Amino acid sequence: MYVCICKAVTDSQIREAIDRGACTRKKLVHCLGVGRDCGKCNGDVRELLQACARHRCREPKMVAMLPVAAN
Ligand code: FES
Protein backbone atom coordinates (compact mmCIF):
# COMPACT_ATOMS: atom_id res chain seq x y z
CA MET A 1 0.00 0.00 0.00
CA TYR A 2 1.26 3.45 -0.84
CA VAL A 3 2.08 5.52 2.22
CA CYS A 4 3.72 8.47 0.49
CA ILE A 5 1.80 9.33 -2.65
CA CYS A 6 4.11 12.18 -3.59
CA LYS A 7 7.18 9.90 -3.75
CA ALA A 8 5.30 6.68 -4.57
CA VAL A 9 6.72 4.87 -1.54
CA THR A 10 4.95 1.83 -0.09
CA ASP A 11 4.77 0.54 3.46
CA SER A 12 6.90 -2.45 2.40
CA GLN A 13 9.67 -0.14 1.20
CA ILE A 14 9.52 1.79 4.47
CA ARG A 15 9.64 -1.42 6.57
CA GLU A 16 12.61 -2.66 4.54
CA ALA A 17 14.43 0.66 5.06
CA ILE A 18 13.73 0.47 8.80
CA ASP A 19 15.06 -3.11 8.88
CA ARG A 20 18.21 -1.86 7.16
CA GLY A 21 18.78 0.76 9.84
CA ALA A 22 16.69 3.81 8.97
CA CYS A 23 15.45 4.02 12.56
CA THR A 24 14.28 7.66 12.56
CA ARG A 25 11.89 9.68 10.44
CA LYS A 26 14.77 11.91 9.42
CA LYS A 27 16.69 8.91 8.06
CA LEU A 28 13.60 7.72 6.17
CA VAL A 29 13.23 11.19 4.66
CA HIS A 30 16.87 11.06 3.61
CA CYS A 31 16.83 7.58 2.06
CA LEU A 32 13.30 7.43 0.58
CA GLY A 33 12.23 11.05 0.34
CA VAL A 34 9.00 10.44 2.28
CA GLY A 35 7.40 13.53 3.80
CA ARG A 36 9.41 16.04 1.80
CA ASP A 37 6.59 17.36 -0.37
CA CYS A 38 3.10 17.76 1.11
CA GLY A 39 3.93 16.07 4.42
CA LYS A 40 0.60 14.24 4.67
CA CYS A 41 2.37 10.89 5.07
CA ASN A 42 4.38 11.93 8.15
CA GLY A 43 1.82 10.52 10.61
CA ASP A 44 1.76 7.14 8.85
CA VAL A 45 5.55 7.06 8.60
CA ARG A 46 5.79 7.77 12.34
CA GLU A 47 3.29 4.95 13.07
CA LEU A 48 5.32 2.50 10.95
CA LEU A 49 8.48 3.45 12.83
CA GLN A 50 6.76 2.89 16.17
CA ALA A 51 5.20 -0.40 15.05
CA CYS A 52 8.56 -1.71 13.82
CA ALA A 53 10.25 -0.62 17.06
CA ARG A 54 7.59 -2.46 19.13
CA HIS A 55 7.95 -5.56 16.94
CA ARG A 56 11.73 -5.52 17.35
CA CYS A 57 11.40 -5.37 21.15
CA ARG A 58 9.33 -8.58 21.08
CA GLU A 59 11.77 -10.51 18.87
CA PRO A 60 14.06 -12.91 20.71
CA LYS A 61 17.58 -11.63 21.06
CA MET A 62 20.08 -13.17 18.68
CA VAL A 63 22.99 -14.73 20.50
CA ALA A 64 26.21 -14.95 18.56
CA MET A 65 27.66 -18.43 18.38
CA LEU A 66 31.40 -18.02 18.70
CA PRO A 67 33.73 -20.90 17.95
CA VAL A 68 35.27 -22.49 21.02
CA ALA A 69 39.05 -22.42 20.97
CA ALA A 70 40.59 -25.91 20.76
CA ASN A 71 43.37 -26.70 23.22
S1 FES B 1 2.35 12.01 0.71
FE1 FES B 1 4.39 11.96 1.43
S2 FES B 1 5.13 13.93 1.00
FE2 FES B 1 3.14 13.95 0.18
Side-chain angles (χ1 to χ4, degrees):
M1 174 183 82
Y2 283 102
V3 172
C4 181
I5 304 300
C6 296
K7 296 294 181 185
V9 177
T10 65
D11 58 333
S12 300
Q13 290 172 296
I14 293 173
R15 284 194 181 93
E16 187 179 324
I18 293 170
D19 284 346
R20 291 178 181 214
C23 54
T24 65
R25 199 185 66 77
K26 193 173 181 178
K27 288 180 181 176
L28 287 173
V29 170
H30 179 74
C31 69
L32 296 174
V34 293
R36 271 194 191 147
D37 291 348
C38 73
K40 288 183 180 175
C41 58
N42 284 331
D44 292 335
V45 169
R46 195 173 303 116
E47 281 180 22
L48 276 169
L49 273 167
Q50 290 169 349
C52 288
R54 280 193 300 270
H55 178 72
R56 241 184 246 133
C57 288
R58 277 187 262 137
E59 287 178 354
K61 298 272 188 244
M62 296 293 288
V63 177
M65 300 294 287
L66 299 175
V68 178
N71 290 334

